[in-house]
Amino acid sequence: MQFTPSDLSTWPRREHFHYYRNQLPCGYSVTVQLDVTRFRAMLERKGLKFYPSFIWCVSHTILSHPAFRMGVDSEGQPGTYDRMHPNYTVFHEDDHTFSDLWTEHNESFPVFYQAFLSDVATYGTRHGMKARAGQPANFYCISCVPWLSFTGYASTVPGGQPNLFPVITYGKAAEHQGTWTMPFAVNISHAAADGWHTAQFLNDLQALLDRVDLEEVAR
């Protein structure tokens, strides 16, 4: 893990960060409908699971967006991590609770995919909030609500600081005239990202879903 502090003498968003971190702490939520038609078809052809494959795509896209890799050091100074690891949820059918798991991101899709399956096999049946210990500082949250197709979703932290890292929730995909769309919500602190940053991230994620062939992603 590498954390690079922001140079406050040259960082264009230093005033925005201070304002939304200290004077008016707030976050925001954006929900869009991702087109997953081609992505779903590709996964079906190759026999790949949606959850780990989609999480890899999100993690890969985050690498190109420093605003989605923000954090603070021990003195509260802002900076960016070199990468973010997904912290995701697994659902327990026996008591209808869920647990958090995390898997280290790897730019090689096959490596990440197998690590994800191994982590779920090892820790996925453990109940409680944290099924796997040792969660790194450079993580982001991603979870799925597979029972619901929604048009808006917001996560709040009353009395606390909005998270600098993105909190992502996606829902049930629906088909209309041959096109499959899926709700995808991003919650993030305004100190970390403005609307422009989130729009760029979402556009890049959609472009990746439209073109990626995951069996060819290996480094």
Side-chain angles (χ1 to χ4, degrees), residues 4-12 14 78:
T4 303
S6 300
D7 185 346
L8 298 183
S9 66
T10 60
W11 188 30
R14 60 189 180 277

Side-chain angles (χ1 to χ4, degrees), residues 10-203:
T10 60
W11 188 30
R13 292 197 71 257
R14 60 189 180 277
E15 292 184 17
H16 298 75
F17 179 87
H18 175 73
Y19 183 78
Y20 287 119
R21 182 74 171 173
N22 302 307
Q23 294 181 247
L24 184 63
C26 67
Y28 63 89
S29 175
V30 174
T31 301
V32 298
Q33 299 293 320
L34 291 177
D35 185 337
V36 292
T37 309
R38 184 186 179 281
F39 188 67
R40 281 170 53 96
M42 182 268 297
L43 295 182
E44 185 175 353
R45 288 196 308 271
K46 298 178 182 300
L48 296 171
K49 294 180 180 294
F50 188 95
Y51 200 25
S53 302
F54 183 69
I55 288 176
W56 183 90
C57 289
V58 174
S59 301
H60 172 75
T61 305
I62 284 175
L63 282 177
S64 301
H65 294 269
F68 279 59
R69 294 186 277 109
M70 282 202 66
V72 293
D73 62 17
S74 59
E75 298 179 354
Q77 294 302 308
T80 55
Y81 293 104
D82 58 338
R83 57 179 173 164
M84 300 290 279
H85 304 296
N87 180 84
Y88 51 92
T89 56
V90 292
F91 185 70
H92 303 300
E93 292 285 355
D94 56 351
D95 62 2
H96 299 162
T97 63
F98 70 89
S99 299
D100 279 354
L101 284 182
W102 63 273
T103 294
E104 182 177 347
H105 177 66
N106 194 299
E107 275 294 87
S108 168
F109 170 74
V111 172
F112 174 81
Y113 189 83
Q114 292 305 317
F116 179 99
L117 297 181
S118 177
D119 288 339
V120 171
T122 301
Y123 306 105
T125 58
R126 297 183 182 181
H127 289 51
M129 280 303 303
K130 300 295 181 181
R132 182 185 182 188
Q135 182 181 28
N138 53 327
F139 74 93
Y140 74 96
C141 293
I142 182 167
S143 60
C144 178
V145 185
W147 316 277
L148 182 67
S149 184
F150 52 83
T151 57
Y153 183 94
S155 175
T156 60
V157 283
Q161 281 277 7
N163 297 306
L164 292 175
F165 57 82
V167 178
I168 291 170
T169 306
Y170 71 93
K172 181 180 179 181
E175 184 268 339
H176 179 67
Q177 296 183 349
T179 297
W180 286 88
T181 58
M182 184 181 76
F184 182 88
V186 175
N187 288 266
I188 196 166
S189 170
H190 210 336
D194 299 327
W196 183 87
H197 303 95
T198 298
Q200 296 302 307
F201 166 76
L202 292 169
N203 290 337

